[in-house]
Structure formats: C-alpha cells, structure tokens
Amino acid sequence: MTEKNDFEPTIVGFTCNWCSYRAADLAGIARIKYPPNVRLVRLMCSGRLDPTFVMKAFAEGADAVMITGCHPGECHYLEQNYKALRRYLLLRRTLVAMGIEAERLHLAWASAAEGIQLAREITEMVERVRTLGPLNWHLNGSQPEVTNEAAGKKLQEIELEVTS
Amino acid sequence: MTKDNGGIPQEKIGVYVCHCGTNISATVDVEDVAQWAADKLEHRGVVIARDYKFMCSSLGQELIENDIRELRLTRVVVAACSPHLHEKTFRTACENAGLNPYLCELVSIREQVSWVHTDKVAATAKSKAVLSGGVERVLWHEPLEAMSVPIHPATLVVGGGIAGIQAALEIADAGHPVYLVEREPSIGGHMAQFDKTFPTLDCSACILTPKMVDAGVHPNITLMTWAEVEKVDGYVGNFDVTVRQKARKVITDLCTGCGICEEKCPKKVVDDVYEAGLAYRKAVYTPFPQAVPNYPVMDLKNCIYFDTGKCKACEKFCPTNAIDFEQEDELIGFQVGNIILATGYDMFDARKMSNYGYGRLENVFTSMEFERMCNASGPTEGNIVLRDGVSTPKAVGIIHCVGSRDKNYNEYCSSICCMQSLKFAHLVDERTGAQVYNFYIDIRTPGKGYDEFYNRIVEEGTHFVRGKVAEVTNAARLNGEKEKLIIQVEDTLIGKQRRIPVDMVILSAGLEPRHDAKDVAKLFGISCSADGWYIEKHPKLDPIATMTEGIYIAGCVQGPKDIPASVAQGAAASARVLGKIQQGEMKMEPIRASVIEAQCSGCRICNDLCPYNAILFHEDTMLSEINPALCQGCGTCVAACPAGAITGTGFSNEQVLAQIEGLLMSV
Ligand SMILES: Cc1cc2nc3c(=O)[nH]c(=O)nc-3n(C[C@H](O)[C@H](O)[C@H](O)COP(=O)(O)OP(=O)(O)OC[C@H]3O[C@@H](n4cnc5c(N)ncnc54)[C@H](O)[C@@H]3O)c2cc1C
Ligand code: SF4
Ligand code: SF4
Ligand code: FES
C-alpha cells in the first residue's frame, strides 16, 4: 500500500442489472468521468446481495464496498431492494462491531437514467475512503478503534440518512 | 472462491479484448491487457488471449468461433462493451461454434472503464482487474438450456380506452380469443369524451364509435365492463385470471338498452367521470348514448332504494323486466397466455394550484370540462359559454402546462397539452370569435402535422404570451378589469409584467398516472416509476414489454402520449402477443433459483421473500421448492437462505465470490 496521502483505495461496487448497472452504462455513454477506483460486480438485483459478498470483498483487500440498486419502489423485482436496505443496515452494524468504519460500506440508489448521480456517488465515495485511508483491520488485530457509544451514534445517523 | 485445481487448469479459456475502434484503445492499452492475460492468467486456464479492432463484427466473431473449434476452448471471456449491448452477440457466436452460450462471459471495459476514465495507466490496470474477475467467474459457469413454456392462445386486455380497444381488435381479428376488461360501464376511455381531435380536427366519436362497436360485437372478444381484475396467478403462457364482474343490477340478456329506467330514475347524480362534473346522470345510467355495451348499470351508492328501501322506479317501468335488485357481484375465472395493460391516465387535479383559482373562481374551467362543453352531445350542446350557461365569452385565456413541467407537481411534460390548447384556441375562435390568449412556457408540437397546426392557429389570430402564469384573480385594479378574470403573467419575450383581463380561463391540466396505478402494478407484478407510469423493458428498444414476461403495456399507462401513439402501442403490443401465440411455446432465460433438497432445513425463511410467490413449501417433506416458471431470478432467496440451500443459476455464490477474488487479485 502507498502512503496515506497519495493513497488510492480499491472499492468493490455491487450493482443490480436493471437500474444501477444501467446507470453505470449511461455514465459511460455520456462520457461522465469518475475515478477508476471502483470495480463493479453485476447482480440481477440488489436483493441478491449476500452479506458474505461484502465480507468477501473486505477479506480480499477492498478498502470499501458500495451497494447500489434501483430506487425504493422501482426495483424490477417489485421490492427486493427493501430487503437489500435491511441487510445493509445490519451489515453496517456488523462491520462496526468488527472494527471497520461504517463509512466503508455505502448504499446508493440510482435509476437507469441517473448516470450523473451514480458517477457523483462514486466520486464522493472514493473521496471519503481516501480520507479514511487503507483498510488494515487485519493488521490491527481485532481491536475496534470506535467505542460502542460512538458507533451507536454514528449508526443512528446513518439509519436516519438512508431511511428518510 | 477461485476454482482451485492443484495448479493444473481444467478449462481452456479464450480471452478477447476489443479496441472498439479507438473507443476503448484510446484509454486502455488493450494489447497490454491481452498480453497480460496470456501471461498472468495462463495458470487459470487462459490458452489464448487476443485483441481485435471490433470484436462484435462478423470477423471478430469468426475469430472466437475458429478458436473454439481449433483450440477446443471450453470457456470464453470477452472484454468489450456492456453486456446489455453485446452479451447476446457473443453468446450466439459461442453457440455457432458448438459451445454452450452460457459458458461465455462479457466484461465491460468500455462503458465502465474507457469512457469514464482518463488516466491510461489506471484504466489499463482496472481493465486487467475486471478481466481477471471475468475469468474467475467463467470458471464457475455451467452449461444452461433455455426453458420452454407453452403459450395459452387467449389474451387479457385491461382497460378499454383507444389503446386497449386497438390491441383487442388486432388480436381478435387474427383469430384468437381476447378478454377485454373495463372498469367503467362502457369502453372508450378519455377519447369518448372529446369532440374534435387534433391536428386534423376530425370528430372523435366518428372515428372511435365504429371501433367500440367492433369490439363489442366481435366473436373473439369477451367484453366485460363494470368489471375489474381481482387476482392474477401464474406466469407467461399460463396466467390464471379472476375478474370481479360488479353487479349491474341489470340482466343483460333481457335488457334492450331502451333507456326507460334511466329516464324514470328520480335520482340525479353529478357525473364526475364522463361529464367531468359539468352535468348530471341518473343512479341507473349508461354514461353516454354511444356506450358499448349499451346496458345501464346501477350505481348502488346513489340508488334511493339501496339507501332507503323504497323506490324501484326502474324495475316498475322496465318493459323487459331486466332490472334485478338481487344480482350479486360475480367472480369469473379464465386462463390467458399474455396480458396487455392499457389503463390510461388520470387528470391532474387543478385545484392543487390554488393560484389559478379552479373551484374558487367560477369561470375557470379545466381542459376536460372544456372538452365536454365543445361536444355536441355534451352538457351545453357544443356551445362555449360561461358557468351561467348562457353568456358567450369575449376573451378567453388558455394556460398551458398546469401541473406539468413544475417541480412542485410533476416534473415531466404531459406531451399532449400544447396541441390540446391549440385545438381549444381554434374551437373558441371558430365558435365564439372571442379573443384567445395562450399562455405557454414553450410550444411543443413535434408530431406529424402538429407544427403546421400551430402555424394555422397563429394565423387565425390567437395571441401567444410566453411566460408561466403567476395568478388568476378577480380582484380588479385597473380600468377594464371589472368583473373579469385577470391573468397576471410575466411576458418573457418583452420582459414585462402583464395583466390580461378575460372572461373565461381554461387550465390545460397535465396527465397523471391512474390514482391506483401502483396497486394495479402490484396485482400484475410489474413495476412503475416513482411518478407511477409503468416501466417498459427498455425505454428505447422495448417500450411495449415490461420486466415481467408475458405482460405488455400500451397507451398512456406507459407515459403521456397522443392518440396516434396510443394506437400504435396498442397495435405493437398485440403484434408481440400474436408472435408469442404463433410460436406456441417460448424460450425463457434460464436465470432461475433452485433449492438443493439435501441442504434445505425447511425453515421457510425464503417462502415469504419471493415477490412472485414462486416458492412452494411441501408440508409432507418439509422442504421448499421453487417453481422455475414463476421465478424471475432476482436472487433474494439465494442470498437469504441460512442453510445455503438455494442456488441461483447464472449468479451462483461461487460465480460471484470467484469474481470478487478475481477483481481484487493484485495486478
Ligand atoms: C383534454 C384532453 C384532450 C385531448 N385531446 C387529444 C386530441 O385531440 N388528439 C390526440 O391525439 N390526443 C388527445 N388527448 C390525449 C388522449 O386522451 C390520449 O392519448 C388517449 O386517450 C390515451 O388512450 P389510453 O387508451 O391510453 O387511455 P384512456 O383513454 O385513459 O383509457 C384507459 C381505459 O382504461 C380503463 N381503466 C383504468 N383503470 C382500469 C382498471 N384498473 N381496470 C379496468 N379498466 C381500467 C379506463 O376506465 C379507461 O376506459 C387529449 C387529452 C386530454 C387530457
Ligand atoms: S331503484 Fe330507484 S333510484 Fe335506484 S336505480 Fe331504480 S329507480 Fe333509480
Ligand atoms: S430458506 Fe433455505 S432452508 Fe429455509 S426453507 Fe428456504 S430453501 Fe429451505
Ligand atoms: S432490480 Fe434493481 S434493486 Fe432490484
């Protein structure tokens, strides 16, 4: 890994086949630029997101994971993205408990028409993770840097942010 | 989860990296990527890695086909454009060369790499990572066969507006049975309410009524009006439909449509649907004289007998004893192979924009009220008059885009209101000679003959004021404003505030999804946008199909559009259905989930997760089973099964986990 100041994070992004992957296609077609740090995995639906996929990505060296799907109410399988939302909230709790900053997992909705928005989400995510620095939790052993209290507060904020 | 085979590759993988002219090669060093794959992924089974100018061209495909034959490739990975564009192309190439098409993986280094990045070094590195993910993934691919299901020859059409009528007639004319289900007492939809239709100004009834009659008497059409679909089970080819036929309280076999019951019924009700609130109907009624079918229905909420237990005037006077107060709702079940939804639109409620005064200022009308007023068989017999029913307006203001192109209401353009406003301008001019002012944001007339129509209206002397109207008020301030409606607007062409006094204001209200669009979408298992318009399979290339196989959409249910476009969609949807019927059976993508019985613990967690009720629980064996014809392959159950007992073909855990490993292998 490089020095923290010129650190380039590696991020795995999960997309659903119908909206967010198409948003990524659209960003391409419209030549909208975003940093090359995110590598996408296409699933049929965000509902397919098995929590182990996220864990696997972290275990294999991803500094962060992004989950994307259709907007609530627009999932092509009716409402499976709500299930993804629930899993996401749970996953963040788990990550915090494991000593991984909650910000390393991010959920974003993007419709097939929202190439610009998806590119912006990716750019912002990369920025955030650049500031966080590399994920080296396996080097630190299992000592969470975040206190339970701080983590709890953070999670409350996050839940408010995604559910509102 | 890389497929470990003790260092000896079992599969023979061909890797093909596309330049896409310079679309990819300008930002990605494609030769380097191919060379890297040949060197660094050899131990994963890559036996050949090539780069080529245009992989999707016939020469590019031949390259792959020859390699499959000569090198006996067992897997193919193409690094090129998005799978949404050319996955099928490369799968077909594999199939042509005798390789199962599902053993091919397409990774996108164009939309997801070269087009969105600028740094060539980083883009090349990312391409390698993405390619490596594809190689790891393809090792876990399995040969799949497309599934085939039989197609029942009958079709359900929901909604009897012009789009639904057209669709039903096309299919019926081709010799196949159609069930046409309409919620109102008659088919016809919005078009039945109009007098003239733009841009030709032909009489709406003259062109619509013959089609309505055809649909009513067609031997292949089972027409059910005053009816709604209550339940839909099954899947493409074999839907089980249950329709609730609401009690008309009229025995249709006996009724001759003479209209005596309606004449004798003492109860008057404001007709909010057909007459847009401008006139009355009775409690037993046919909505309009040309209604199809021509039997009346009884509106139980307003019937005096159902309210007080006394009256039955209709029964007394009916010459054929066709009134039956005991008649109950009936549930009718049948099977169809395909479904077309053509449930149309609702009008934006102009009351919501209180600054325009509708509902408060007497002589502010909605567009639908005005349509009825223009109609020769409407409440004013085609006379354009003020609310008092007698005075002819001397000046009329028509406000465009009411509730459309407005962040506070609907952001979209309702597409028909400019033309409809121009039509109104013409009708006012022709019938009253009044001064007409059109208040517009932009004039949008992109249809055939539409701009010509606009020019014609300009030449007729209609005034055009460019600006979004701020307010309609009756508070007179200046000379000549007394007892007038004053339209306050910034005329953006001259950069001035103007107050224009008129006698009548018409609000060209926008089109909105049906108020119950979301419930209906849910009933049929399709999705709608946040607005509520139904989502097509592809906005450009497949505006007729939905994501749910066997369910098509036509007309305004998909988004605001004019009559020609609605008719075209109705016809297009029927052509798609006819194609399916013709085939007798259809192939379906084998992306499906299935339960590995030996691993299922019978916990039933998956059972409620499926949006299509595809998961069945066998009480006897205590095992869950997935109906592959119902499953659409979203994968939610696969992710949820705590026992890991469900696999998702095409998107298995192994495939995804291996891909993640590949993506993150240091390059
Ligand atoms: C004021 C005005 C003027 C217009 N003038 C013109 C014109 O001059 N020229 C032109 O080209 N276009 C015009 N249009 C546009 C035109 O109205 C539409 O293009 C056309 O009517 C769309 O037809 P449709 O069949 O899609 O929908 P609709 O006409 O809305 O028909 C839908 C049908 O489905 C039924 N339905 C709804 N929900 C259900 C359900 N759940 N179950 C069963 N049935 C259901 C409804 O009762 C209705 O009969 C005008 C529109 C407006 C608002
Ligand atoms: S019972 Fe009376 S009110 Fe009801 S429909 Fe018959 S006549 Fe009309
Ligand atoms: S969730 Fe898994 S274990 Fe539980 S019933 Fe469904 S398939 Fe069987
Ligand atoms: S299909 Fe996009 S989230 Fe379900």
Side-chain angles (χ1 to χ4, degrees):
Chain A
M1 289 279 172
T2 39
E3 289 297 301
K4 188 161 174 165
N5 46 15
D6 59 359
F7 158 69
E8 285 299 338
T10 304
I11 300 172
V12 172
F14 293 96
T15 61
C16 79
N17 187 46
W18 305 108
C19 283
S20 52
Y21 194 83
R22 281 172 204 262
D25 276 354
L26 182 63
I29 293 161
R31 313 294 199 274
I32 298 156
K33 306 296 175 209
Y34 56 82
N37 308 57
V38 175
R39 299 168 189 178
L40 299 182
V41 177
R42 183 168 61 112
L43 304 171
M44 286 311 273
C45 172
S46 64
R48 175 65 184 91
L49 187 97
D50 190 318
T52 52
F53 296 169
V54 174
M55 292 309 184
K56 177 75 175 175
F58 282 121
E60 293 294 324
D63 298 295
V65 172
M66 218 175 147
I67 306 168
T68 63
C70 314
H71 282 278
E74 289 184 20
C75 171
H76 286 258
Y77 304 97
L78 308 185
E79 48 190 32
Q80 304 307 70
N81 47 5
Y82 288 101
K83 281 142 204 165
L85 171 64
R86 274 184 244 155
R87 283 181 200 145
Y88 163 73
L89 294 173
L90 224 88
L91 262 166
R92 283 189 81 141
R93 280 179 183 277
T94 317
L95 291 179
V96 171
M98 292 169 74
I100 301 180
E101 298 92 332
E103 290 90 335
R104 290 191 191 270
L105 182 65
H106 181 65
L107 174 77
W109 307 126
S111 80
E114 293 179 337
I116 299 177
Q117 285 81 347
L118 184 71
R120 194 193 311 130
E121 285 281 357
I122 292 178
T123 311
E124 288 172 4
M125 178 83 187
V126 172
E127 269 316 308
R128 277 197 300 274
V129 185
R130 271 205 191 108
T131 341
L132 281 175
L135 172 67
N136 47 9
W137 55 297
H138 50 293
L139 304 180
N140 293 349
S142 55
Q143 284 167 0
E145 281 178 28
V146 252
T147 63
N148 281 343
E149 202 185 330
K153 206 161 146 224
K154 188 75 211 167
L155 276 167
Q156 261 181 359
E157 281 168 22
I158 293 156
E159 278 166 32
L160 268 174
E161 161 210 327
V162 286
T163 45
S164 61
Chain B
M1 196 172 287
T2 48
K3 205 160 197 171
D4 210 336
N5 37 39
I8 310 145
Q10 286 168 343
E11 305 294 348
K12 288 182 158 188
I13 309 172
V15 167
Y16 301 88
V17 188
C18 184
H19 294 230
C20 193
T22 55
N23 276 303
I24 296 174
S25 60
T27 327
V28 173
D29 187 341
V30 282
E31 283 103 355
D32 181 38
V33 174
Q35 191 56 50
W36 174 86
D39 296 344
K40 295 287 161 57
L41 300 179
E42 193 187 355
H43 71 291
R44 306 303 303 152
V46 174
V47 292
I48 181 89
R50 300 181 191 270
D51 60 278
Y52 189 69
K53 269 265 173 256
F54 290 105
M55 279 316 309
C56 64
S57 67
S58 47
L59 287 177
Q61 293 182 51
E62 261 171 45
L63 207 65
I64 302 178
E65 289 171 26
N66 288 340
D67 281 354
I68 294 176
R69 291 198 192 95
E70 282 160 23
L71 302 172
R72 308 204 161 276
L73 298 182
T74 59
R75 298 284 191 275
V76 166
V77 179
V78 184
C81 53
S82 163
H84 287 144
L85 206 64
H86 274 309
E87 188 168 63
K88 205 158 185 184
T89 311
F90 295 115
R91 280 183 176 171
T92 310
C94 289
E95 198 167 19
N96 290 342
L99 186 68
N100 184 289
Y102 295 93
L103 298 176
C104 169
E105 173 75 4
L106 177 54
V107 298
S108 168
I109 57 168
R110 193 180 73 172
E111 284 81 350
Q112 276 72 8
V113 182
S114 70
W115 277 352
V116 286
H117 305 321
T118 42
D119 177 346
K120 195 159 182 174
V121 176
T124 305
K126 180 171 167 183
S127 300
K128 291 176 185 170
V130 173
L131 176 59
S132 150
V135 167
E136 291 307 324
R137 189 184 204 283
V138 86
L139 286 169
W140 290 94
H141 281 214
E142 281 173 58
L144 302 174
E145 295 300 330
M147 297 190 318
S148 141
V149 292
I151 305 288
H152 192 287
T155 306
L156 166 67
V157 177
V158 187
I162 187 61
I165 293 176
Q166 183 70 28
L169 283 174
E170 302 257 1
I171 298 172
D173 282 346
H176 301 289
V178 177
Y179 297 91
L180 177 55
V181 176
E182 165 61 51
R183 162 188 292 172
E184 295 297 326
S186 168
I187 55 173
H190 282 103
M191 199 179 159
Q193 293 173 274
F194 308 155
D195 184 43
K196 298 268 189 288
T197 54
F198 61 71
T200 43
L201 298 177
D202 33 5
C203 137
S204 190
C206 311
I207 54 178
L208 177 66
T209 318
K211 278 191 183 278
M212 290 167 60
V213 172
D214 280 357
V217 299
H218 204 295
N220 288 334
I221 298 181
T222 308
L223 180 59
M224 304 177 178
T225 62
W226 203 239
E228 271 180 63
V229 176
E230 187 145 304
K231 197 158 161 259
V232 184
D233 285 324
Y235 43 87
V236 57
N238 302 278
F239 292 104
D240 285 306
V241 181
T242 311
V243 169
R244 175 175 294 270
Q245 173 65 63
K246 287 179 278 180
R248 281 188 128 86
K249 306 286 179 190
V250 171
I251 303 165
T252 50
D253 285 346
L254 297 179
C255 175
T256 60
C258 68
I260 292 178
C261 57
E262 184 163 2
E263 199 184 305
K264 298 295 179 187
C265 174
K267 174 79 177 198
K268 274 183 160 183
V269 185
V270 175
D271 183 356
D272 281 326
V273 180
Y274 185 71
E275 294 292 4
L278 272 193
Y280 294 95
R281 59 165 169 81
K282 296 294 184 62
V284 63
Y285 71 105
T286 41
F288 50 100
Q290 308 92 328
V292 171
N294 209 273
Y295 323 121
V297 297
M298 201 181 287
D299 160 13
L300 306 187
K301 268 195 229 101
N302 286 297
C303 170
I304 300 175
Y305 173 73
F306 280 94
D307 188 24
T308 66
K310 284 201 206 92
C311 180
K312 291 202 174 182
C314 50
E315 191 183 59
K316 249 171 272 158
F317 287 96
C318 175
T320 63
N321 291 326
I323 302 283
D324 175 8
F325 282 94
E326 307 304 315
Q327 200 179 61
E328 296 285 343
D329 284 7
E330 204 185 331
L331 292 180
I332 303 166
F334 51 87
Q335 267 211 334
V336 296
N338 292 280
I339 298 175
I340 299 173
L341 297 177
T343 49
Y345 62 93
D346 275 343
M347 297 298 299
F348 170 75
D349 180 3
R351 277 187 187 80
K352 287 189 194 156
M353 294 189 76
S354 58
N355 47 331
Y356 290 172
Y358 180 68
R360 179 163 49 83
L361 302 172
E362 212 178 12
N363 288 315
V364 177
F365 291 82
T366 64
S367 42
M368 208 43 98
E369 284 180 321
F370 187 77
E371 284 288 354
R372 291 309 301 149
M373 206 192 294
C374 290
N375 197 304
S377 57
T380 60
E381 290 167 354
N383 292 316
I384 297 171
V385 287
L386 299 183
R387 211 54 90 170
D388 63 11
V390 286
S391 333
T392 309
K394 295 197 178 53
V396 176
I398 303 172
I399 304 181
H400 294 216
C401 301
V402 175
S404 309
R405 306 182 65 199
D406 183 332
K407 283 220 154 75
N408 299 316
Y409 303 99
N410 294 312
E411 218 174 320
Y412 54 81
C413 164
S414 287
S415 127
I416 57 98
C417 341
C418 275
M419 280 302 287
Q420 163 249 292
S421 304
L422 296 172
K423 170 174 81 175
F424 288 180
H426 170 81
L427 293 173
V428 173
D429 177 64
E430 183 185 67
R431 297 190 188 175
T432 67
Q435 293 291 321
V436 189
Y437 297 87
N438 273 56
F439 299 87
Y440 68 100
I441 308 177
D442 299 289
I443 293 284
R444 296 189 165 173
T445 50
K448 185 173 180 181
Y450 285 11
D451 219 46
E452 293 89 325
F453 186 71
Y454 170 44
N455 291 333
R456 172 177 167 189
I457 305 305
V458 173
E459 275 159 29
E460 282 176 4
T462 293
H463 307 284
F464 284 89
V465 180
R466 185 172 183 273
K468 195 169 155 72
V469 169
E471 192 189 18
V472 176
T473 171
N474 56 359
R477 277 205 269 128
L478 308 172
N479 274 345
E481 290 186 352
K482 215 163 147 235
E483 286 172 21
K484 296 270 183 189
L485 290 171
I486 303 105
I487 297 176
Q488 171 83 46
V489 61
E490 183 190 342
D491 186 331
T492 55
L493 289 184
I494 53 172
K496 265 206 187 124
Q497 286 291 336
R498 292 177 71 180
R499 286 169 68 83
I500 297 174
V502 295
D503 305 303
M504 174 192 259
V505 171
I506 307 167
L507 304 180
S508 291
L511 273 48
E512 283 192 340
R514 289 274 173 197
H515 61 281
D516 59 350
K518 292 198 170 147
D519 299 333
V520 174
K522 203 160 177 183
L523 179 69
F524 289 93
I526 62 163
S527 33
C528 37
S529 68
D531 298 319
W533 302 110
Y534 291 177
I535 298 179
E536 56 282 27
K537 191 161 188 175
H538 190 284
K540 280 163 263 175
L541 303 181
D542 206 346
I544 302 298
T546 64
M547 291 310 309
T548 306
E549 289 283 2
I551 300 193
Y552 300 88
I553 49 180
C556 287
V557 73
Q558 182 247 2
K561 56 179 62 65
D562 55 16
I563 294 167
S566 302
V567 171
Q569 281 201 337
S574 65
R576 294 291 286 278
V577 168
L578 286 172
K580 291 273 180 310
I581 298 173
Q582 185 80 19
Q583 286 166 18
E585 58 172 36
M586 71 172 276
K587 297 251 182 276
M588 294 213 289
E589 270 283 287
I591 308 263
R592 298 288 183 270
S594 60
V595 177
I596 307 163
E597 282 193 5
Q599 267 165 261
C600 173
S601 69
C603 70
R604 307 192 65 168
I605 284 177
C606 58
N607 293 191
D608 287 339
L609 288 174
C610 178
Y612 306 101
N613 295 323
I615 312 179
L616 199 82
F617 186 71
H618 296 286
E619 297 284 351
D620 47 345
T621 53
M622 298 291 281
L623 294 173
S624 289
E625 191 198 338
I626 295 171
N627 180 340
L630 279 179
C631 169
Q632 306 272 327
C634 73
T636 306
C637 62
V638 187
C641 174
I646 312 183
T647 56
T649 321
F651 286 84
S652 68
N653 281 344
E654 289 81 3
Q655 284 170 313
V656 179
L657 293 173
Q659 184 182 2
I660 296 171
E661 268 182 39
L663 279 180
L664 294 170
M665 253 173 217
S666 39
V667 284

